Amino acid sequence: MPFVSLITLAVYSGALAQGTPTFTAPKIDMFKELRVISGVTVSPNGDLTFLGSDARVHRTDATGSAKWSFVVGDIGRAYPVVTPQGTTIAASYDDTVYALDAAGKLLWKVKLDGDIYATPALRPDGSVVVATAGGTVYALSGAGQTLWSYKVGAPVFSSPAIAADGTIYFGAQNNRLHALTPAGQLKWAYAAGSLVFSSPAIGPDGSIYFGSSDRRIYALSPAGELKWRAQTGLFVNASPIVTSGGVVIVGSYDGSVYAINPGGETEWTYKAGAGVAASAVELSDGTVVVPDLSGTVHAIGRAGQALWQIKTGKKIDTGLSVSDQGSLYFTTEGGGLNIIQKQRPLAVAPWPTFHANPAAWGRVPSAAELQAQTQARRTAATAVLAALKPGAPTAPAQPAQPPAPVRPSPGQPAPQAGTTPAPQPAPRPVTPAPAPTLTPAQQAQAAASKARTEGGQVLLPLREAAAALRLTVLNVTARTATLRVGTARVPVTVRLYGKEAYVPLAALSDLPGAAATLERTPPAVVLAVAGQQTRFPLNLPGLLPLGRQTEYGALPGR
C-alpha cells in the first residue's frame, strides 16, 4: 500500500496554529510607579516586599501603599525572603545580606565576598543559604553568624533550592548543578552543556529540574543521575515550576513555554512568541500564568491552550507573584507595579512559583506547611469569581495535544500597549449530540464528507471522527475536548462552527500511540489508534493543494 510518513501527513494537515486567546483578559485594577527592580515577595497577610531602583528595601500593603523602607548599599534583584516570624532577609549588589524586623528596623547585616544576584533560601531552623557572584555559598544563622561556606570556584546566579532532606541545590557558571549536604559538603555536581543561570525546582519525589544555556531542560535524581533532558530552541535561564499534577513547566528564550511530565514526555508546548526569562506560576484552578520579554502576560490552560493575554508593551523579566488572597502582581520595565485582584491564589503544589512559595523560602514545604497553605488559600480558591468573557469566535486555539518531538519556533512580535476590558460571563459548554448508530467505517465516511479546512489545517467533525476511531468524548467546551484513549484522558483542541465541534486531523494523528498513513489510490488517510485502524476517505492534496508557498520549508532539516 503506498503511504507517506506522519511528518508528510502533518505537512498536509497543518500544525496547530497559536492564534489569539480564547478569553478576554481580566483588567489591571491598579498600576503604581514604585521603581521595583527585584522580584516581589508576598507575605501571608498580603503585604509586598521588594528592592527598588532607589537602593531601598520597601514594604507596602496589598495595594502598593507604602509601610516602610530601609536604605541598603546598592540595588539588588534577588527576591527578599520573609520568614514565618516576619523577618525580612534581603540581599543586594553591595555584597551584603540584611535582616530587618517586621517594622523595617535593622537586626543584623553580613558582608560576603561578592554581589548577590541569587535569592537566599530559608531553612526550617531559620538559617539561610546565600550564594554570591564571588563564587561562594554561605550558610548564615538566624542571628547572622556564618555557619559554613563552600567555594564553588565560579560565580553563582542560580538561587539555591533546599530539599526535604536538607540537601542544597544550585547552578553555577562552571556549567554544573551542585548538591551540598546540610553541612556544606559537596555531594555531587552534574555537568550540563553550558552555563546554569536557572534556579532549580524540586519535585515531590525529590527530582531536581533546571535549565541551561545549552538549550536544554534537565531532570536529575536526588543521587545526581540524569533522568531525562529536553531540547529547546534557545537557552533556558528561567526557573522551572512543578505543578499540582507533577508537570514541569519552564519557558525559553526561543519564545516557547514547555510542559513536561515526570517521565520526560512533552505534555504541551505553548508559543508565547517572545523570549521567556521569568518563572511561571500555577493558580489553584490549574491555570499557568507566565510573562514574556515583549511585555505580554499569558494565561495558559491545563491542555496548553491560550486563555487570555495582557499586552503591556514593556519588558517583563521577573515572574508574577500571587497572594493567598488571590491578587496577582507583576512588574514592567521601569519599575511599574501592576495589580490584578480577585483572581485565584497559587495552587497547593510541590513548587508552583519561583522559590516554591509567595514568601520566597526556596525549600520543599513540609506536610504541615502544605496543610497551612491549603487553609490559607481556601477562601480565594473557592470564591465565586467573575467568569471570563469569550474572545473572538474565529480565533484559532493553542495546541492541546502533546507534540513530539519539541520543535520550537522563536519569534519576536512588536509590543502592543494597553490592557483588555473586565471579565464577563463565560460561554456555555458545548455538549455533543448523541452519535447515530453507524459502523466505524460509516462514521469515518460521514466525518470525511463534512471535512473542512482553515488556516492550512484539515478539520473533522469531532462526534463522527471520535466514533470512527472508537474513542469516547468525555467533555467538550468552546475550545477543547477530552477524549478517552485506552485508560488515558487526552485533551485536544477543537473549533466550533455553529454549534458543532471540529477537531484538527493533526490532533488525531498525535494521539498517544497513534500512527497515520496516506493512501494514494483511492485517496484516504488511515489512522491507527489503540490497535484499531480506521480509513478516512480524504483527498488531502485536493483539500490542501500545494501552492507556491508550501509548508515543507518550515520542517527541520528540509
Side-chain angles (χ1 to χ4, degrees):
M1 176 180 66
F3 69 96
V4 296
S5 69
L6 181 58
I7 291 179
T8 305
L9 176 61
V11 171
Y12 276 111
S13 57
L16 291 179
Q18 287 291 295
T20 56
T22 305
F23 299 105
T24 298
K27 67 183 179 69
I28 295 175
D29 295 289
M30 282 175 254
F31 175 83
K32 295 196 173 182
E33 293 283 4
L34 298 182
R35 297 190 291 177
V36 183
I37 194 170
S38 72
V40 176
T41 298
V42 187
S43 298
N45 69 349
D47 282 356
L48 312 178
T49 310
F50 55 86
L51 275 79
S53 57
D54 56 358
R56 287 177 175 266
V57 179
H58 292 266
R59 171 70 55 83
T60 75
D61 66 13
T63 67
S65 297
K67 285 192 165 184
W68 54 255
S69 67
F70 179 87
V71 177
V72 294
D74 202 345
I75 62 171
R77 300 217 68 196
Y79 285 63
V81 176
V82 178
T83 74
Q85 296 74 34
T87 300
T88 297
I89 307 295
S92 75
Y93 296 169
D94 64 353
D95 308 354
T96 302
V97 180
Y98 299 83
L100 311 174
D101 68 15
K105 305 299 182 183
L106 182 67
L107 295 173
W108 51 262
K109 63 180 181 179
V110 176
K111 191 172 182 67
L112 304 179
D113 71 339
D115 294 349
I116 304 169
Y117 293 85
T119 298
L122 178 69
R123 299 202 285 188
D125 65 358
S127 61
V128 291
V129 177
V130 186
T132 73
T136 306
V137 176
Y138 297 85
L140 306 177
S141 74
Q145 299 169 324
T146 299
L147 302 176
W148 51 258
S149 63
Y150 174 81
K151 288 288 186 182
V152 181
V156 180
F157 303 115
S158 166
S159 301
I162 300 173
D165 65 358
T167 301
I168 301 154
Y169 301 107
F170 61 91
Q173 300 301 284
N174 60 3
N175 303 353
R176 287 170 169 75
L177 191 286
H178 301 75
L180 303 183
T181 69
Q185 302 298 313
L186 181 66
K187 292 177 70 173
W188 50 260
Y190 178 87
S194 188
L195 308 174
V196 183
F197 288 93
S198 176
S199 303
I202 302 173
D205 63 351
S207 296
I208 308 99
Y209 304 102
F210 67 98
S212 170
S213 295
D214 67 2
R215 307 183 179 194
R216 292 188 177 95
I217 304 161
Y218 289 88
L220 305 181
S221 74
E225 299 165 336
L226 179 67
K227 297 180 68 175
W228 52 259
R229 62 186 179 187
Q231 186 73 46
T232 69
L234 282 174
F235 38 92
V236 182
N237 284 4
S239 303
I241 64 169
V242 184
T243 71
S244 51
V247 176
V248 180
I249 297 179
V250 63
S252 165
Y253 272 74
D254 66 12
S256 293
V257 180
Y258 297 88
I260 304 172
N261 68 29
E265 300 167 321
T266 300
E267 292 287 319
W268 47 258
T269 303
Y270 174 93
K271 306 294 185 183
V276 177
S279 291
V281 297
E282 184 197 16
L283 305 184
S284 63
D285 64 354
T287 299
V288 169
V289 187
V290 62
D292 68 32
L293 290 171
S294 76
T296 299
V297 178
H298 304 264
I300 308 170
R302 291 178 183 270
Q305 76 276 24
L307 298 181
W308 51 259
Q309 293 175 0
I310 295 174
K311 295 178 181 290
T312 71
K314 297 180 179 180
K315 177 181 175 182
I316 306 174
D317 61 2
T318 55
L320 276 75
S321 300
V322 186
S323 74
D324 289 345
Q325 295 76 29
S327 291
L328 310 186
Y329 302 91
F330 64 93
T331 305
T332 46
E333 188 173 28
L337 179 68
N338 300 261
I339 305 174
I340 307 174
Q341 298 175 319
K342 297 182 179 179
Q343 301 299 304
R344 297 299 183 198
L346 282 176
V348 177
W351 208 274
T353 186
F354 174 79
H355 241 209
N357 74 359
W361 291 354
R363 70 165 186 256
V364 171
S366 66
E369 287 167 345
L370 283 174
Q371 181 61 33
Q373 290 174 12
T374 301
Q375 293 296 329
R377 299 170 191 171
R378 185 183 304 278
T379 299
T382 57
V384 178
L385 305 181
L388 293 172
K389 178 182 177 181
T394 58
Q398 299 288 351
Q401 81 281 6
V406 174
R407 302 188 191 277
S409 300
Q412 295 288 339
Q416 299 179 20
T419 58
T420 49
Q424 300 294 328
R428 187 174 298 172
V430 179
T431 303
T437 306
L438 299 175
T439 67
Q442 290 171 325
Q443 295 282 15
Q445 178 69 45
S449 70
K450 295 168 67 176
R452 57 195 304 159
T453 61
E454 183 178 330
Q457 294 182 281
V458 173
L459 299 106
L460 300 177
L462 175 66
R463 183 185 65 189
E464 289 89 343
L469 295 170
R470 303 165 183 83
L471 302 176
T472 301
V473 180
L474 298 176
N475 59 66
V476 184
T477 67
R479 290 297 178 186
T480 62
T482 303
L483 302 178
R484 177 173 285 132
V485 183
T487 60
R489 298 164 61 95
V490 181
V492 293
T493 295
V494 298
R495 297 187 194 177
L496 296 184
Y497 297 95
K499 293 187 177 180
E500 187 168 13
Y502 275 68
V503 60
L505 180 59
L508 298 175
S509 68
D510 275 343
L511 290 170
T517 56
L518 186 66
E519 293 183 351
R520 300 184 187 277
T521 308
V525 174
V526 179
L527 290 180
V529 180
Q532 300 280 350
Q533 280 197 343
T534 303
R535 183 179 181 277
F536 292 85
L538 293 166
N539 181 5
L540 289 187
L543 288 168
L544 294 172
L546 295 178
R548 293 183 62 186
Q549 292 184 342
T550 71
E551 293 185 59
Y552 286 98
L555 290 176
R558 299 281 180 139

